[in-house]
Amino acid sequence: MPITEPDTLSPTLQLAFALLSRPSVTPDDEGCQDVMIERLRALGFHIERMPFGDIKNVWAVRGHHGPVIAFAGHTDVVPSGPPAGWEFPPFSPCIDDHGMLCGRGAADMKGSLAAMVTAVERFVARYPDHDGRIAFLITSDEEGPAVDGTRAVVEQLRERNERLDYCIVGEPSSTERLGDVIKNGRRGSLGGVLHVRGVQGHVAYPHLARNPIHQAMPALDALVNEHWDAGNDFFPATSFQISNLRAGTGATNVIPGDVEVVFNFRFSTEVTHEQLKARTEAILTQHGLEYQLDWTLNGEPFLTAEGALVEAAIRGVEAVTGKRPALSTSGGTSDGRFIATLGAQVVELGPLNDTIHKVNERVRASDLDDLSRIYEATLQALLTTDEVCL
């Protein structure tokens, strides 16, 4: 029978149940941060609520000197979709007969948040006068526009000249087994919306019209086949992808007057977003298009190629799993792109990502207990001189 009452479970799983039971669909927090704040305040954290607009954020710090290691994450989740498609109700967490913790946010990323809190609880119990400072940066705006969440908190910290040396983002990074991959960077994301103007007319009289689709196609083909860069040891080559193309009135006998093309670059550190903009606009101009192009920079690429945090995270994974993780920069964007601008070393380390954003999201329950131990071991490697062993 599925386990629906967490009383007999580990502290990590009990906290995960408490967070998963709250339907905190972006941008709502539904009290998740209050649950975490209560636990952190009991450990002596200074709690600072940092709301921006309708978004709830928390910056919590314990300690007064030395390097700052922050745990970063989000309490918001994506919509569950029709509940009828779920084996168990999406916001009624349970552990099924196969030992899987089921519920929206189990992997992305309330499970990680629970593991972070309990890891810090154990670490503080062992090292109440630890060196350095431990911080939490929690938002309810990661799955949404990501404007008034981590981005806004980081800007506030920058204005205050707050120090942030290391950051572990709890995004689900693992692929086949817990801890097999640590994300030590992410590609940049640059979006564009291109409007190519033509002249609307009757399809039987093309000489009286100008078809913007026909005009745009050679330019789009050039963009698709452009060699933007070759990537490097940490990043694949920059990718250009068209995600949407809209034109026409719906009638079959009308040449459209304009076409809208939505596209995105995922780019490496070999090229800047300004270079991508300039090269794109040069290609469009070369093809003689009458166009308007609106850009959105979603995030710069960031990379922690080496350093104390990468080494500590690797040691933490090895101490718990006995296996060495691989480093990767694959995948989409995360809030690490904002945190890295403070000069912090940033890694992403969390559970398996095979069910994130899907119906029946789930994660192995025992993995969350092991993830908590990995976080604790990483803290130990960074803030103590003790041998990392749990």
Side-chain angles (χ1 to χ4, degrees), residues 57-339:
N57 305 294
V58 173
W59 174 245
V61 182
R62 185 184 197 276
H64 302 285
H65 59 84
V68 179
I69 174 171
F71 289 99
H74 58 92
T75 54
D76 60 317
V77 297
V78 296
S80 65
W86 288 69
E87 182 179 358
F88 305 103
F91 296 106
S92 296
C94 69
I95 298 177
D96 68 13
D97 294 339
H98 303 287
M100 305 297 290
L101 174 63
C102 307
R104 175 57 86 221
D108 189 14
M109 56 172 286
K110 292 180 178 180
S112 296
L113 295 179
M116 290 171 175
V117 171
T118 57
V120 172
E121 287 176 335
R122 292 193 307 276
F123 179 81
V124 169
R126 293 174 63 188
Y127 303 99
D129 300 316
H130 59 80
D131 291 331
R133 288 170 285 173
I134 304 173
F136 278 79
L137 197 172
I138 308 300
T139 184
S140 63
D141 183 40
E142 197 274 345
E143 300 289 6
V147 172
D148 290 327
T150 300
R151 182 201 297 260
V153 174
V154 164
E155 289 308 311
Q156 185 80 3
L157 297 179
R158 192 192 320 278
E159 291 177 8
R160 295 176 354 191
N161 294 317
E162 292 264 7
R163 177 176 177 175
L164 210 170
D165 299 278
Y166 313 114
C167 183
I168 300 175
V169 184
E171 290 291 346
S173 61
S174 304
T175 56
E176 300 294 332
R177 56 175 173 77
L178 178 68
D180 61 350
V181 173
I182 294 174
K183 298 288 179 70
N184 66 324
R186 293 276 193 160
R187 293 174 293 175
S189 175
L190 176 65
V193 180
L194 170 67
H195 292 271
V196 178
R197 289 180 288 273
V199 176
Q200 183 173 313
H202 197 295
V203 297
Y205 302 96
H207 59 289
L208 299 177
R210 189 173 77 246
N211 193 319
I213 299 177
H214 295 181
Q215 286 192 303
M217 286 175 64
L220 296 180
D221 182 67
L223 290 170
V224 168
N225 290 291
E226 176 75 1
H227 180 74
W228 303 98
D229 62 45
N232 54 37
D233 291 342
F234 298 99
F235 291 96
T238 292
S239 167
F240 170 88
Q241 292 292 318
I242 297 172
S243 56
N244 285 280
L245 192 151
R246 290 185 285 268
T249 64
T252 61
N253 60 350
V254 178
I255 295 172
D258 60 76
V259 59
E260 179 187 84
V261 183
V262 182
F263 61 85
N264 180 266
F265 285 101
R266 294 301 165 101
F267 62 102
S268 76
T269 50
E270 293 296 304
V271 64
T272 69
H273 72 273
E274 293 295 347
Q275 290 172 330
L276 292 174
K277 289 180 180 181
R279 289 170 63 182
T280 299
E281 291 169 7
I283 289 173
L284 296 174
T285 300
Q286 288 168 8
H287 285 79
L289 300 183
E290 184 183 350
Y291 71 90
Q292 176 184 332
L293 180 51
D294 299 313
W295 294 100
T296 300
L297 178 62
N298 302 303
E300 297 279 11
F302 70 91
L303 176 68
T304 302
E306 57 186 10
L309 179 58
V310 169
E311 295 172 7
I314 290 174
R315 290 172 63 190
V317 171
E318 288 180 328
V320 175
T321 70
K323 298 182 183 296
R324 187 176 181 85
L327 299 178
S328 171
T329 61
S330 65
T333 60
S334 79
D335 277 356
R337 67 191 188 274
F338 306 127
I339 297 166

Side-chain angles (χ1 to χ4, degrees), residues 18-19 22 24 29-37 75 110:
L19 297 174
R22 297 170 183 268
S24 54
D29 169 70
E30 292 294 328
C32 290
Q33 292 176 16
D34 291 335
V35 172
M36 297 180 65
I37 286 170
T75 54
K110 292 180 178 180

Side-chain angles (χ1 to χ4, degrees), residues 45-58:
F45 276 79
H46 171 73
I47 306 297
E48 183 178 2
R49 298 181 188 267
M50 300 179 70
F52 294 95
D54 295 329
I55 303 303
K56 292 184 178 180
N57 305 294
V58 173

